[in-house]
Amino acid sequence: MKRKHRKRICTDDVIFQGPRLRTEPSDLILPISSPNRQATIMCEAEGSPPPQYRWSLNETPIDLGNDYRRRMSGGNLIISNLDKDQDTGIYQCKAFNTWGSVLSRKATVQFAYLENFRTQTVRSTVNVREGQGVVLLCGPPAHSGELTFAWIFNQYPHFVQQDSRRFISQETGSLYIAKVEPSDVGNYTCVVNNTVTREKILSSPTPLVLRSDGVMGEYEPKIEVHFPDSVPAAKESLVKLECFALGNPVPEISWRRTGGVPFPSKVKMKNSNAVLEIPNFQQEDAGTYECVAENRRGKNAARGRISFHAKPHWFQTMADTVLSIQQNLFWECKANGKPKPSYSWLKNGEQVITEGRIQIENGALSVAALNLSDSGMYQCVAENKHGIIYSSAQLTVLASPPSFSKNPLKAVLKARFGSEVTLECKPQASPPAISLWKKDNELLQRNERMIVFPNGTLKITNVTRGDAASYTCIAKNQFGSASTTGRLLVTEPTRITVRPTNMEIIVGESIVLPCQIACDPALDVSFSWAFNGQLIDFRQDSDHFERVGGTISGDLMIRNIQLSHGGKYVCVIDTEVESLSASAILVVKGPPGPPDKVTVEEITDSTAQLSWTPGRDNGSPITGYIIQGRTPFTVGWQAVETVPEVVNGNTLTATVVGLNAWVEYEFRVVARNSVGLGEPSPASAKTRTEDAIPDTAPTDIGGGGGTKSELVITWEPVSEELQNAEGFGYIIALRPVGTVTWTRAVISTPGAARYVFHNDTIPPFSPFDVKVGAFNNRGEGPFSSIATVYSAEDVPSVAPKMVRARSVSATQIEVIWEALPAIPERVLGYEVMYWEDDTKPDTVGKVRISGNYTVVNITGMNANTAYYLAVSACNTAGPGPQSMPINITTRKPPPNQPPLNIQWSMIGSTLSLHWDPVVAMETESKVTGYLVLLKRHRYNDINTLVTNKTSVQLSLSASDNYLIQIKATSEGGEGVGSEPIHIHKLSMGARGSGAHCLNPLNLAAVLISALACFVW
């Protein structure tokens, strides 16, 4: 039932509301031996002030003050120490407050129990012939609550399994065996279970034995279990019909509806068709049902009619109502149900009787000439024998003088010249007030333009400037009078002076749509814009839309226009007295949308026939298409050659040419129009071109080197993209220069780039003509051009002589030897091997130089270390024999201490420097002199001055800044530099000193670092 909106009555700031039930009592069936011995019956209502509650049992009020077992929590009734005799019955809740009372639905409380079978050791024996049918009675004891039945065969837990021959009725509890077999002999115990109390009891065993007077012959079915002739069924309930027959052979059970009405799909048959279930029973399911039991000896049938009934259900209810005194009330409620419900009415929980002003007829309540005592809570009650329902509503009767506190006239009302205006006179009054109007201080004279409606509303049509005045509405009833006044202001019509016009624009551009007006200065104006019927939200769509202009301008700026912005724009101008609008169509042009359905219709080894469907032109006709292709060997998409070379906008097919054979291709299409290129189409399905013989020969044929009797041939492999088919490989052809016959070799490795031809008869460094071709499963392709490649040469056969060495410093050795005279082998350079001693192979190093040089400097040596050296000549075949080893010892390392106590003075442009001598340690080379390094700012070169003294004078430019460093020199090389000295051009005539030790650093790095942090 749809809930009606409930009106509320306001007195000052307090809201009053009659009680309305939110939770109503429900029927309860309780175990008689409930563990907690307590039950709660629910009842909850809302209202203001909060409702109070009373309960009745079997229509007798419950006195909670003198009842220690019953109490209330909120509106809920809680019963403790449950007692079957005292607590069984019908309960009803009443909720009440100062506005009235309502009754809840009635709820039944029952108690479930299951008594024991009467004491009996063994039931009477049932004697039956084989093939005969039998019924074993259960005879359940006294009980309350739903029961279920089962049977134990001989002993627990061997339960009888139901099938087409055996059936347990859940109506009677009896066990039916259609045809007894020898295996059925034994003891049978009935098991009864109460679904509410969960109690379970067992009967005494019933022995079943076979008679000895022979086997029962065949006989026709005899229906022992069948449903009643009339079965009442409630709406939406689950209906179960049972049917079972005895017989020999075992009968088959089937069901049907009379009149040939088919069963709906929801109907289910269970237990070998002995049970028919109809879930969610409805009116259309009512009718006569027939059960048929049949075997080869005959058939029998049982019929019964299922009747439909439904408790009442509301389809029309009344709503809370506020009326004035002396008005009439009419409420009507309607309910469905079968049988048809009857109606009654309650006021504050008491029966309403038809008399005088109050009439009740067929669910309708009418009360004439209401008075204040008629206020209260009313309930419409619909009832049939299957249920009762309640619908509640509040009636409030008012009596009050007129008041405009809620609906006064506006102080100033504005109306456009020539329009019409409505002035509402809506006082609150009970009973309704009589209204009259004054213009300024005189009663309003009605005419064809001034119309006063029965509800007091004043309407003025074709407003003129003379209508501008103060208007007063006066309202009266028997309880008093009241008035409200407002001034009517007549304004000039608003005009649109600049309208938006239809336009075309390119996507990404910006535009302003004008909307400007001329209006009466007394009016408040607001502008809004709609796009394709939807109001533009300028805060949410601020990325693209902005309203610009002042009070009389509502121009719309659209930035970075997109294709989705094309459509109809409407400028809406609203004032207090009128609404105007102006519209324009904006066409947005953009690059075309992506084409679709790119398909390879036909493909060869070098061409592909394509087709596609066009995309959207986005406001500008498509002028042409560009075809792009992609393979596993390309970087991204590349434009491809087509026939026709230029594909115009009306063409939807093209042939791609110049493809490589046996390559998997994808294609896509890009459309263009006057705006530009659009988005590409989705890629076509991957398609492989047909195979073909190779058409590309290997390149960069070369080679040479290798070992004796070898010819090494190299080439640039053909890329997989150009191999044209499977089974790709290379054919190498070679011959000595000046001969005719080619020697061929085949390599089946596609990625091969080198081939070594070995033959003991090949002379060293002999020229050969060489060419390389390609082949695949389709055949041989072209050969490369012929290149000349030399066979491997012999290593030089003679070792260099007159090898000598000189220690240059602690880390450098110079090696010198004599050049070799002319020998049969080529000499392309020399290789110098050096090592510390023969027991340290990991210390071996070598230096190789090309050309005819006979001297080399070896750096990076260890200081004060003995080295062995040998020299050999070399060519492409490798190094020849080594010279006799010689040995040389590197010098001691240079001093590790920088010059200290550096004193300097500057007189004019002459710089005088003095420092303490550096004394070498025993393990260091002796000092042979000093090196002064001078760097001038803005110049990259470093000037050096060598001296064997500990002082020096330098002539400097007065306009430059300088950086100076001093190092000791020795046979082992340069020592550690001093801390850099900064000489600024403003320091002329100054003195200084630097006595700190500087860590060993590269001078250039020191100078750069020092200069970087110096302010020049």
Side-chain angles (χ1 to χ4, degrees):
M1 180 183 71
K2 184 176 180 182
R3 180 171 289 170
K4 303 287 188 177
H5 175 69
R6 297 173 63 91
K7 298 180 182 177
R8 294 182 176 182
I9 307 151
C10 299
T11 301
D12 297 329
D13 295 329
V14 180
I15 298 176
F16 298 97
Q17 186 182 38
R20 180 177 62 192
L21 289 165
R22 296 179 59 185
T23 304
E24 299 196 50
S26 300
D27 293 339
L28 294 177
I29 181 163
L30 305 168
I32 199 166
S33 56
S34 177
N36 57 14
R37 307 286 293 166
Q38 179 174 294
T40 301
I41 310 175
M42 308 294 288
C43 184
E44 182 184 3
E46 61 182 4
S48 182
Q52 296 177 285
Y53 303 89
R54 293 193 186 100
W55 283 87
S56 65
L57 170 59
N58 298 327
E59 299 186 355
T60 300
I62 298 174
D63 185 2
L64 296 178
N66 296 317
D67 193 333
Y68 73 94
R69 293 191 309 108
R70 298 186 179 103
R71 60 186 175 87
M72 277 201 300
S73 175
N76 300 331
L77 178 64
I78 301 174
I79 308 173
S80 303
N81 301 320
L82 290 167
D83 183 277
K84 173 188 173 185
D85 296 327
Q86 297 186 54
D87 298 326
T88 300
I90 299 173
Y91 289 79
Q92 191 170 30
C93 167
K94 175 187 279 191
F96 61 94
N97 66 8
T98 54
W99 294 97
S101 307
V102 291
L103 293 178
S104 72
R105 69 178 295 275
K106 295 178 180 179
T108 301
V109 174
Q110 296 177 301
F111 288 84
Y113 63 91
L114 178 61
E115 295 184 0
N116 288 317
F117 285 97
R118 280 178 292 182
T119 304
Q120 182 178 349
T121 306
V122 178
R123 293 187 176 189
S124 300
T125 300
V126 177
N127 294 283
V128 64
R129 295 165 66 186
E130 181 181 349
Q132 187 179 355
V134 69
V135 179
L136 301 182
L137 301 178
C138 179
H143 65 275
S144 174
E146 184 180 359
L147 301 182
T148 61
F149 301 91
W151 283 79
I152 296 174
F153 179 53
N154 287 332
Q155 61 183 8
Y156 182 84
H158 298 291
F159 286 91
V160 173
Q161 300 301 314
Q162 299 185 73
D163 51 26
S164 61
R165 198 171 61 84
R166 290 169 295 190
F167 176 67
I168 301 172
S169 171
Q170 297 303 313
E171 296 290 337
T172 66
S174 299
L175 169 62
Y176 300 82
I177 304 177
K179 173 190 171 187
V180 174
E181 296 178 353
S183 60
D184 295 325
V185 172
N187 292 319
Y188 290 84
T189 302
C190 180
V191 182
V192 184
N193 178 60
N194 190 310
T195 60
V196 179
T197 65
R198 301 188 182 278
E199 292 177 293
K200 182 184 294 184
I201 60 171
L202 278 66
S203 71
S204 299
T206 300
L208 177 68
V209 299
L210 288 180
R211 289 165 51 178
S212 58
D213 54 351
V215 177
M216 181 79 172
E218 294 185 353
Y219 64 95
E220 68 179 13
K222 178 184 178 184
I223 295 178
E224 287 289 342
V225 181
H226 62 82
F227 50 97
D229 294 338
S230 179
V231 179
K235 180 182 180 182
E236 299 177 354
S237 65
L238 171 63
V239 178
K240 292 184 180 182
L241 304 180
E242 292 185 346
C243 181
F244 192 76
L246 310 183
N248 185 9
V250 175
E252 292 184 358
I253 307 295
S254 61
W255 295 83
R256 68 182 183 184
R257 291 182 67 175
T258 58
V261 179
F263 288 133
S265 59
K266 67 180 179 179
V267 172
K268 297 179 177 61
M269 297 182 192
K270 297 183 177 179
N271 296 355
S272 301
N273 291 357
V275 178
L276 176 75
E277 286 189 357
I278 309 173
N280 189 27
F281 191 82
Q282 300 294 328
Q283 176 78 55
E284 60 269 19
D285 297 322
T288 301
Y289 288 73
E290 183 178 68
C291 160
V292 179
E294 184 175 7
N295 63 13
R296 62 172 172 257
R297 303 300 296 181
K299 65 180 178 180
N300 209 337
R303 295 183 183 86
R305 178 170 182 79
I306 307 178
S307 59
F308 174 83
H309 68 80
K311 61 184 180 181
H313 177 76
W314 293 119
F315 68 90
Q316 179 180 327
T317 58
M318 66 282 195
D320 292 346
T321 301
V322 178
L323 293 173
S324 297
I325 192 171
Q326 295 302 311
Q327 284 188 302
N328 298 327
L329 169 69
F330 179 80
W331 268 335
E332 185 174 21
C333 58
K334 296 180 181 179
N336 291 324
K338 189 169 183 181
K340 186 176 180 180
S342 61
Y343 301 92
S344 60
W345 286 82
L346 303 175
K347 177 188 176 186
N348 294 331
E350 303 295 332
Q351 193 81 25
V352 177
I353 307 298
T354 298
E355 59 179 356
R357 296 181 304 113
I358 303 173
Q359 297 295 318
I360 299 175
E361 184 176 356
N362 204 22
L365 170 67
S366 59
V367 182
L370 290 169
N371 56 51
L372 295 177
S373 65
D374 293 322
S375 295
M377 298 300 302
Y378 288 77
Q379 288 179 283
C380 178
V381 184
E383 182 176 9
N384 65 13
K385 65 180 181 180
H386 301 294
I388 181 170
I389 55 175
Y390 298 79
S391 174
S392 305
Q394 182 178 358
L395 172 64
T396 301
V397 181
L398 299 179
S400 63
S403 171
F404 287 99
S405 60
K406 296 290 181 65
N407 298 298
L409 279 175
K410 288 185 178 180
V412 177
L413 298 92
K414 299 176 184 179
R416 177 175 56 85
F417 179 83
S419 67
E420 66 178 37
V421 65
T422 298
L423 285 74
E424 291 186 335
C425 183
K426 295 174 65 176
Q428 288 181 303
S430 296
I434 298 172
S435 302
L436 58 88
W437 284 89
K438 284 186 177 182
K439 179 180 178 182
D440 288 333
N441 293 320
E442 297 182 359
L443 284 176
L444 180 70
Q445 300 299 318
R446 303 185 187 184
N447 54 43
E448 66 277 4
R449 289 195 313 107
M450 302 260 185
I451 304 169
V452 178
F453 294 100
N455 64 359
T457 297
L458 170 61
K459 181 178 180 181
I460 307 174
T461 61
N462 194 18
V463 173
T464 66
R465 293 180 180 84
D467 295 328
S470 291
Y471 289 83
T472 301
C473 175
I474 303 172
K476 296 181 179 179
N477 69 7
Q478 67 261 44
F479 297 107
S481 64
S483 65
T484 180
T485 300
R487 185 167 62 88
L488 178 63
L489 180 65
V490 179
T491 63
E492 294 298 323
T494 302
R495 294 179 297 105
I496 299 177
T497 56
V498 181
R499 296 173 173 269
T501 58
N502 297 340
M503 300 188 72
E504 293 184 353
I505 192 167
I506 303 300
V507 67
E509 296 181 351
S510 299
I511 194 176
V512 173
L513 295 178
C515 184
Q516 300 175 12
I517 62 168
C519 67
D520 192 300
L523 293 176
D524 294 325
V525 183
S526 67
F527 293 87
S528 59
W529 283 85
F531 170 52
N532 288 339
Q534 296 293 320
L535 199 65
I536 296 175
D537 186 334
F538 287 98
R539 285 181 297 182
Q540 183 176 343
D541 299 329
S542 59
D543 290 345
H544 295 285
F545 296 107
E546 181 183 358
R547 196 182 75 77
V548 295
T551 56
I552 59 171
S553 176
D555 298 350
L556 173 66
M557 174 181 283
I558 312 175
R559 291 186 294 269
N560 188 21
I561 287 180
Q562 303 300 304
L563 291 171
S564 60
H565 293 146
K568 183 178 181 179
Y569 289 82
V570 180
C571 174
V572 181
I573 305 102
D574 288 305
T575 69
E576 301 100 311
V577 299
E578 61 188 326
S579 180
L580 298 85
S581 65
S583 64
I585 302 297
L586 182 63
V587 176
V588 180
K589 293 183 177 182
D596 197 13
K597 297 179 181 177
V598 179
T599 305
V600 179
E601 304 286 356
E602 185 179 344
I603 195 160
T604 69
D605 61 352
S606 61
T607 65
Q609 177 72 35
L610 302 184
S611 66
W612 60 88
T613 58
R616 296 169 58 92
D617 64 9
N618 290 333
S620 179
I622 296 172
T623 57
Y625 294 96
I626 297 172
I627 316 300
Q628 296 176 336
R630 179 173 67 178
T631 74
F633 312 107
T634 59
V635 179
W637 292 91
Q638 309 289 333
V640 295
E641 298 180 23
T642 59
V643 175
E645 184 176 352
V646 177
V647 183
N648 64 47
N650 297 321
T651 301
L652 298 176
T653 62
T655 300
V656 181
V657 298
L659 303 179
N660 293 322
W662 199 243
V663 173
E664 197 173 61
Y665 281 90
E666 294 176 276
F667 299 99
R668 70 181 187 183
V669 181
V670 182
R672 65 168 175 261
N673 60 14
S674 61
V675 180
L677 288 175
E679 292 293 318
S681 71
S684 68
K686 293 180 179 179
T687 308
R688 187 181 290 275
T689 50
E690 295 179 348
D691 56 3
I693 62 174
D695 54 12
T696 302
T699 58
D700 294 339
I701 311 301
T707 59
K708 184 178 180 181
S709 302
E710 287 183 350
L711 175 65
V712 178
I713 304 168
T714 61
W715 62 90
E716 180 68 29
V718 176
S719 67
E720 186 180 350
E721 185 178 9
L722 303 175
Q723 292 175 4
N724 288 6
E726 291 182 331
F728 185 84
Y730 299 97
I731 303 170
I732 296 90
L734 57 97
R735 66 185 181 190
V737 172
T739 63
V740 176
T741 304
W742 293 92
T743 298
R744 290 165 57 105
V746 175
I747 297 179
S748 298
T749 305
R754 185 174 184 269
Y755 173 70
V756 178
F757 175 70
H758 185 89
N759 192 311
D760 292 338
T761 64
I762 298 177
F765 206 63
S766 176
F768 281 78
D769 291 332
V770 175
K771 61 181 180 179
V772 182
F775 72 92
N776 60 23
N777 287 348
R778 292 293 301 274
E780 292 186 10
F783 276 85
S784 67
S785 57
I786 297 174
T788 300
V789 179
Y790 284 82
S791 62
E793 59 184 334
D794 284 340
V795 298
S797 57
V798 178
K801 297 179 180 179
M802 297 296 291
V803 178
R804 52 198 182 278
R806 180 176 67 90
S807 178
V808 178
S809 69
T811 60
Q812 184 174 334
I813 294 174
E814 180 183 67
V815 184
I816 305 172
W817 62 91
E818 279 188 356
L820 286 179
I823 60 175
E825 300 81 23
R826 288 195 306 165
V827 176
L828 300 180
Y830 295 90
E831 184 177 87
V832 179
M833 298 283 292
Y834 59 92
W835 62 97
E836 292 186 18
D837 61 55
D838 291 338
T839 64
K840 296 182 180 178
D842 57 329
T843 64
V844 174
K846 60 182 171 181
V847 176
R848 179 174 287 192
I849 60 173
S850 299
N852 201 26
Y853 297 100
T854 58
V855 61
V856 66
N857 280 328
I858 304 174
T859 59
M861 313 297 276
N862 295 325
N864 197 25
T865 303
Y867 283 93
Y868 296 84
L869 302 104
V871 183
S872 59
C874 60
N875 57 22
T876 59
Q882 291 183 343
S883 64
M884 289 295 292
I886 63 170
N887 61 66
I888 185 73
T889 299
T890 53
R891 298 186 183 276
K892 293 180 180 180
N896 194 38
Q897 180 180 359
L900 299 176
N901 196 23
I902 301 173
Q903 305 291 326
W904 63 272
S905 62
M906 190 80 180
I907 301 175
S909 61
T910 300
L911 173 67
S912 296
L913 289 168
H914 182 271
W915 58 91
D916 290 346
V918 176
V919 179
M921 308 267 306
E922 176 123 6
T923 57
E924 296 174 341
S925 296
K926 292 183 179 181
V927 176
T928 59
Y930 297 92
L931 186 66
V932 180
L933 298 97
L934 177 69
K935 184 180 185 304
R936 186 165 48 163
H937 179 52
R938 294 191 302 271
Y939 294 89
N940 291 327
D941 58 316
I942 298 175
N943 295 321
T944 60
L945 176 65
V946 179
T947 179
N948 54 6
K949 298 180 181 180
T950 58
S951 62
V952 71
Q953 286 189 337
L954 302 173
S955 179
L956 304 181
S957 170
S959 61
D960 271 325
N961 300 308
Y962 291 89
L963 193 66
I964 298 172
Q965 191 177 43
I966 305 170
K967 294 181 179 182
T969 60
S970 69
E971 290 181 345
E974 297 177 1
V976 177
S978 67
E979 184 175 343
I981 301 169
H982 299 275
I983 306 298
H984 194 267
K985 60 187 177 182
L986 300 178
S987 300
M988 303 304 173
R991 292 178 178 272
S993 65
H996 300 291
C997 178
L998 183 70
N999 291 331
L1001 293 172
N1002 176 278
L1003 177 61
V1006 171
L1007 294 176
I1008 291 170
S1009 174
L1011 291 173
C1013 53
F1014 194 93
V1015 180
W1016 298 94

